[in-house]
Amino acid sequence: ALDAHRLTFLDTPGHEAFELSRGKTVASADAALVVVSVEHGAEVQTEEVLLHAARWKVPVVFALNKIDLPKAHVELTRAELRRQCQRLYEQGHVDVDWTNEAEAAVPISALLQQNLKELLTTLCRTVEAVPKIPSKLPDPPSLTPGGGIACKEVVR
């Protein structure tokens, strides 16, 4: 199924100054790939992305990166991520409980290209599960007598 997909990745900087950029990116996505470093764990930016994903009803896939480091704490990071997702849900900040997605987070090493195929497969399965909105082009605008151009439909 991976060969049949064309994926576009929109990478946003992690710095807090780019929060608006992350929001716009999530709003335009079919899925959010949230990459969490096992070196630093789930940070404030992780929470921001989850808030945006909930707002725009975008499914989430988690990747735990830097598993190649000697002091990589994959299970500790996974547990921390689960707690962060659970807290956001229990406190009513999001209407989606992503603890299962956090548990299924794919451990990867971008540097050594470990588990990238597994991550892409998980991402493709997630995108396939998103209901597709039929693409219907709007009718061409028509001229109304005595006026300007009137559209029959507005496309967002």
Side-chain angles (χ1 to χ4, degrees):
L2 183 58
D3 296 332
H5 287 83
R6 182 179 184 142
L7 302 174
T8 301
F9 291 90
L10 304 172
D11 187 16
T12 58
H15 190 274
E16 64 186 55
F18 294 94
E19 194 266 337
L20 180 61
S21 174
R22 281 190 292 277
K24 288 180 178 182
T25 301
V26 171
S28 65
D30 291 324
L33 173 58
V34 181
V35 181
V36 178
S37 166
V38 295
E39 186 177 32
H40 302 292
E43 298 181 303
V44 173
Q45 295 87 338
T46 307
E47 190 170 302
E48 288 172 2
V49 171
L50 295 176
L51 293 171
H52 288 302
R55 177 179 180 203
W56 297 105
K57 308 290 186 221
V58 173
V60 172
V61 173
F62 292 105
L64 304 178
N65 192 23
K66 300 186 180 181
I67 62 169
D68 53 285
L69 295 178
K71 294 187 179 188
H73 300 288
V74 175
E75 292 311 313
L76 179 63
T77 305
R78 188 186 311 273
E80 182 181 88
L81 187 57
R82 257 193 333 262
R83 280 193 304 274
Q84 187 178 42
C85 291
Q86 185 177 21
R87 183 181 51 78
L88 286 172
Y89 180 69
E90 287 175 352
Q91 293 177 355
H93 297 295
V94 298
D95 58 356
V96 182
D97 182 1
W98 282 302
T99 54
N100 288 336
E101 287 83 350
E103 184 61 37
V106 181
I108 66 166
S109 168
L111 180 67
L112 302 179
Q113 299 182 4
Q114 275 182 290
N115 299 335
L116 296 185
K117 187 164 180 133
E118 179 186 345
L119 176 61
L120 290 174
T121 301
T122 302
L123 191 57
C124 287
R125 270 194 253 121
T126 301
V127 171
E128 284 173 352
V130 174
K132 301 297 178 239
I133 299 171
S135 59
K136 177 186 176 278
L137 296 174
D139 294 332
S142 61
L143 292 176
T144 51
I149 298 174
C151 286
K152 295 180 180 179
E153 199 174 326
V154 176
V155 178
R156 185 178 101 145

